[in-house]
Amino acid sequence: MTDAGSRPADTLHTADRDTLDTAALRHPDSLKWTAFDPDVIPMWVADMDFGIAPPIMDALRARLDRSLGYPQLMGDPILQAQLSQSLARYGLSGLGAEHMTFLPGVVPGIYAAVHALSTPGEPVVTMTPVYHPFHLAITDQDRRVSGVPLRDGDSGYEINWSALDAASRGSRLLLLCHPHNPTGRVWNAQELGKLRDLVLARDLFVMSDELHADLRYGEAFESFAADPRVQSRTITLTGPCKAFNTAGLGIGVMVSHNAALLSRVRRAAGGLMGHESALSITMWQAALRDGGPWLADTVAYLRGNRDFLSDYLRQHLPWVKFHEAQATYLAWLDLRAHPRAADIQAFLLQEARVAVHDGPVFAHDSHKSQYQGFIRLNFATSRTLLTEALDRMAAALNRAM
């Protein structure tokens, strides 16, 4: 299970995406590559197998030549200016320093929003399946998950509008995932408009996690808070870790046109939140300044992987139901037609030696059974490794049919 190549993963350049060295990837600091036995291909947790953009690596090395004392903890002015320009592309224009606060990651921002904008015992609305810290942020803080399952439509997963409206009654907060993890949907202008109307009608606050916005395959993207009507009630979260594969350097940002709301959410976490690190600030500055070409090449490669995966499933596993991801490097696959659907993640790990995320992870307790038989598969790896993993899965699944 080794591609050609010998350089460590963190020095690989764009041309090396097809020549990953699995021995280098399986270093002791990697959760993804050490969580399972050495013969297992890991396609579960959401980071990429590709090397880091060379401009980021150069900036980090240069940063180590300077002091590692406290960085600009009141808000790095260089990064603030870069983000103000970057987020304007998605409709979040006019953001100043008072409209953004940095975090040690996006997940703490989800928890802070739930803590500040709801009270124990209250329902918090979200759409399932969804990135599991959404429902954990609710239940860990003694709120109730008001989960609205997405509908499997002809051309992709769709919002169940009547169910969402019903769930919103009696709630004060909607947690939105845009682009959506794990289905890969990018909510379009019509859907966003209808969602904004519902939010206004039900007087909801909104936390919009837009972490995957830069990992899109041609679809236009508009931030939920691009519409002035909802800006005063919306907190938007984002960060560089998915687009630039830097999850180990935790940093995120929480932005809102409503500075008072932003301060309210930040204060709710207080000193429990922690702060961004000096190296994470340097990393994000370099990514925004010089990482564009690397990101464009990476998205193009991921799109090729997505298309290859789709073609492979249609040819070799035609009974698997799926919709092509419009964003992210994650495929949400419905394997409920298989005889081993009830333990499909364990089956693939044991029989195919491929690790994937189990569908029920992406729902709260009362909805978990709806997603038994689904898996989330991370295709951000070399085409060679993706092919080997799919070959293993197809052989094991077809043998057991």
Side-chain angles (χ1 to χ4, degrees):
M1 192 186 68
T2 302
D3 288 0
S6 59
R7 283 181 289 169
D10 65 355
T11 65
L12 294 171
H13 289 216
T14 299
D16 298 301
R17 290 193 180 96
D18 275 325
T19 57
L20 300 179
D21 181 353
T22 56
L25 289 168
R26 195 178 289 105
H27 59 78
D29 299 315
S30 171
L31 170 66
K32 181 180 183 181
W33 279 86
T34 59
F36 300 95
D37 293 336
D39 64 330
V40 172
I41 300 178
M43 309 191 81
W44 60 295
V45 71
D47 60 13
M48 299 190 247
D49 288 338
F50 310 136
I52 307 304
I56 292 177
M57 295 302 299
D58 292 342
L60 289 173
R61 293 185 182 102
R63 181 66 178 82
L64 292 174
D65 290 333
R66 304 194 294 277
S67 74
L68 283 177
Y70 288 113
Q72 298 286 352
L73 294 179
M74 300 302 105
D76 185 88
I78 296 173
L79 185 53
Q80 287 171 335
Q82 289 177 302
L83 283 169
S84 181
Q85 181 177 3
S86 177
L87 293 173
R89 297 173 299 148
Y90 298 143
L92 297 180
S93 57
L95 294 174
E98 70 275 18
H99 300 124
M100 59 182 74
T101 183
F102 293 102
L103 314 169
V106 164
V107 170
I110 301 173
Y111 273 75
V114 171
H115 188 65
L117 304 176
S118 66
T119 58
E122 281 188 348
V124 176
V125 181
T126 192
M127 292 177 276
T128 59
V130 72
Y131 178 50
H132 51 285
F134 274 51
H135 51 82
L136 293 176
I138 299 169
T139 58
D140 284 352
Q141 301 184 88
D142 298 320
R143 279 71 167 166
R144 294 187 290 112
V145 178
S146 185
V148 180
L150 297 171
R151 291 194 295 206
D152 187 354
D154 292 337
S155 57
Y157 285 91
E158 302 170 348
I159 297 172
N160 186 331
W161 294 106
S162 60
L164 183 62
D165 183 61
S168 299
R169 299 172 187 266
S171 180
R172 293 191 294 165
L173 175 62
L174 168 67
L175 303 185
L176 176 66
C177 197
H178 173 49
H180 190 262
N181 173 8
T183 70
R185 271 302 316 275
V186 176
W187 308 118
N188 61 38
Q190 181 180 6
E191 291 166 321
L192 289 174
K194 195 169 181 178
L195 192 57
R196 291 163 181 147
D197 290 343
L198 186 151
V199 162
L200 291 168
R202 297 293 168 222
D203 194 23
L204 298 173
F205 290 111
V206 178
M207 185 289 300
S208 184
D209 173 357
E210 302 185 359
L211 185 61
H212 289 92
D214 288 335
L215 292 172
R216 306 183 321 281
Y217 305 116
E219 281 70 17
F221 181 84
E222 180 180 89
S223 176
F224 178 80
D227 187 331
R229 297 182 302 154
V230 297
Q231 289 178 347
S232 66
R233 61 180 65 237
T234 303
I235 293 288
T236 303
L237 298 174
T238 192
C241 71
K242 299 306 177 190
F244 290 97
N245 199 30
T246 56
L249 283 174
I251 191 171
V253 70
M254 179 163 50
V255 305
S256 178
H257 288 84
N258 184 342
L261 179 65
L262 184 68
S263 178
R264 174 182 171 183
V265 174
R266 181 66 197 230
R267 285 200 315 270
L272 298 174
M273 176 76 77
H275 56 75
E276 66 280 9
S277 72
L279 292 181
S280 67
I281 293 170
T282 295
M283 172 272 295
W284 205 354
Q285 289 176 350
L288 291 171
R289 183 180 61 246
D290 300 319
W294 182 94
L295 178 59
D297 287 347
T298 298
V299 171
Y301 191 90
L302 291 172
R303 181 171 188 161
N305 274 1
R306 181 203 65 172
D307 295 346
F308 174 82
L309 169 64
S310 299
D311 291 342
Y312 189 102
L313 292 174
R314 293 186 186 105
Q315 181 176 352
H316 299 284
L317 295 166
W319 51 270
V320 174
K321 296 178 63 177
F322 70 98
H323 299 286
E324 285 188 338
Q326 297 172 328
T328 81
Y329 45 76
L330 307 166
W332 182 244
L333 308 180
D334 180 354
L335 278 67
R336 288 177 296 174
H338 196 269
R340 294 295 298 271
D343 64 341
I344 195 65
Q345 186 267 351
F347 171 80
L348 290 172
L349 181 60
Q350 180 177 352
E351 300 298 329
R353 309 305 285 163
V354 175
V356 296
H357 249 133
D358 206 10
V361 168
F362 300 94
H364 58 291
D365 290 344
S366 61
H367 283 193
K368 284 186 180 294
S369 62
Q370 297 183 34
Y371 302 106
Q372 187 58 58
F374 285 83
I375 62 170
R376 192 189 75 172
L377 184 146
N378 176 350
F379 55 82
T381 189
S382 72
R383 195 73 45 81
T384 303
L385 278 174
L386 177 59
T387 303
E388 182 175 350
L390 291 173
D391 284 345
R392 291 185 184 191
M393 292 171 60
L397 290 166
N398 288 332
R399 278 196 309 266
M401 285 295 282

